[in-house]
Amino acid sequence: MTMVLETAAGEGVTGALTLMVREVRLLCPGVRHVVLADPGGRALPTFTPGSHIAVNWSEGRHNSYSLTGPSIEPDHYAISVRLDENGRGGSRWVHDLQPGQTVRVSCPRSAFAPILNARHHILVAGGIGVTPILSHVRAALEWGRSFEVIYSFRDRQGAHADELAALCGDRLVTVSTPGELAGRLVPTLADQPLGTHVYTCGPAPMIAAVAEWARECGWPPGRVHSEAFGAGPLPDGNPFAATLGRTGMIVPVPSGTSLLEALLDKGIAVPNLCRQGVCGECRLSVRGGEVEHRDMFLTDEEKASGDSIMPCVSRAVGDRLELEL
């Protein structure tokens, strides 16, 4: 049986792989590690460090998870998933997977790649945010790049902590509180040569704190990179209507329903992956109306311009929004 490569029509995934669960294991309370491989044993597509795959867990529904394993012609894709009891059900579905089951996933994509000409890489992980950082570390070791890691996690919640320690040696520092993180990271940020880049993956407050510390230490924004878990729980919002500028079609968006879901329900194909306002895949152009931005992808300048929206999480401020569709 060979690897299946096919288009994923209507789901916004440029290609899809049908893989088999090779191994599952618990890394720490609430975090499950899943190894996926080609049923025929073939190598899988190479990916950029920091890449993720979208796992299809229900018809038209998929969650994105960072890849933690080797990136060059790997014989498997590995993900580590934290159980979210209040989520849509995707993490529960992954936690219920058993060896031998088949899973449909997207080809890897990255919005959190290392800067290849950086002189030094400061990698900061918080909790399950260690997953893309782990692939950065593997690549740094393989290519001889200069790096260091600060991993912040609570007691018994350090997924991959032992593996990371084995890979990094004395280039790894672990902390358990925001104060300890600041105590280790701020002096590091204040004493870095030009050409150093910092990468953060973890909870939104930690990402914001690292960015602020870097700014206070004089770092330009272009050397500060991050990947968040998602926009988090959001209020239902008021109902509004989206007008499609090219056809004049009006799409009602009820309270509690995302603009993306409303468009898809009307048969309007919109590329999408994370559905959490992080990946940027579903970005749409706005012709008119004011946007209530809830995403973590657009820059402050892009949000201020008002000509783009992430329909998976963002909404109209008023009762109307006109889209370039």
Side-chain angles (χ1 to χ4, degrees):
M1 188 174 186
T2 58
M3 179 171 61
V4 179
L5 180 62
E6 57 191 354
T7 59
E11 295 185 13
V13 180
T14 55
L17 306 170
T18 298
L19 305 179
M20 182 174 290
V21 179
R22 190 169 79 185
E23 175 190 344
V24 295
R25 58 189 170 92
L26 196 66
L27 294 181
C28 63
V31 178
R32 201 170 197 229
H33 189 64
V34 179
V35 177
L36 305 169
D38 170 52
R42 296 174 60 184
L44 299 175
T46 295
F47 61 88
T48 303
S51 291
H52 58 264
I53 55 173
V55 177
N56 291 353
W57 56 272
S58 180
E59 186 63 34
R61 291 182 175 270
H62 37 264
N63 287 12
S64 295
Y65 300 110
S66 297
L67 295 169
T68 66
S71 60
I72 299 177
E73 295 188 344
D75 67 352
H76 70 278
Y77 288 159
I79 58 175
S80 296
V81 179
R82 183 184 61 185
L83 180 62
D84 182 0
E85 297 286 6
N86 299 316
R88 298 177 299 153
S91 66
R92 168 56 64 190
W93 186 88
V94 172
H95 273 243
D96 288 339
L97 286 173
Q98 298 298 325
Q101 287 184 247
T102 56
V103 178
R104 192 162 177 262
V105 308
S106 72
C107 288
R109 302 189 64 172
S110 178
F112 190 55
I115 305 302
L116 299 184
N117 63 353
R119 291 179 59 184
H120 184 63
H121 305 260
I122 303 173
L123 306 168
V124 185
I128 196 62
V130 70
T131 51
I133 297 300
L134 189 57
S135 72
H136 275 244
V137 167
R138 294 188 196 281
L141 290 170
E142 186 165 8
W143 295 99
R145 297 174 188 146
S146 175
F147 75 95
E148 60 187 289
V149 180
I150 301 179
Y151 184 14
S152 177
F153 59 89
R154 291 176 295 185
D155 184 42
R156 300 191 307 121
Q157 295 296 315
H160 294 289
D162 291 343
E163 183 178 9
L164 203 57
L167 290 170
C168 298
D170 60 6
R171 287 182 283 193
L172 170 68
V173 171
T174 61
V175 298
S176 59
T177 68
E180 289 180 358
L181 176 62
R184 297 305 298 253
L185 182 57
V186 172
T188 300
L189 293 172
D191 187 34
Q192 287 301 319
L194 185 66
T196 300
H197 287 247
V198 61
Y199 311 77
T200 311
C201 185
M206 187 188 82
I207 288 175
V210 172
E212 178 62 18
W213 296 333
R215 187 192 66 78
E216 291 174 351
C217 290
W219 284 55
R223 291 199 284 132
V224 181
H225 316 275
S226 64
E227 183 169 75
F229 297 153
L234 297 170
D236 290 340
N238 295 324
F240 66 98
T243 301
L244 309 190
R246 297 175 190 171
T247 65
M249 180 180 179
I250 297 176
V251 178
V253 185
S255 175
T257 298
S258 72
L259 172 56
L260 175 63
E261 291 170 329
L263 292 169
L264 295 176
D265 286 345
K266 291 293 186 181
I268 301 161
V270 179
N272 65 92
L273 279 176
C274 75
R275 301 197 181 193
Q276 299 180 75
V278 173
C279 73
E281 182 72 11
C282 66
R283 182 174 185 166
L284 296 176
S285 296
V286 176
R287 282 188 178 185
E290 187 177 353
V291 179
E292 179 191 347
H293 293 288
R294 300 174 166 190
D295 67 275
M296 303 183 72
F297 179 80
L298 296 175
T299 65
D300 291 340
E301 292 77 12
E302 289 171 327
K303 290 177 180 178
S305 72
D307 59 5
S308 294
I309 186 172
M310 295 300 162
C312 60
V313 293
S314 298
R315 307 179 69 80
V317 171
D319 58 4
R320 291 276 176 176
L321 199 65
E322 184 176 358
L323 304 174
E324 184 65 51
L325 277 177

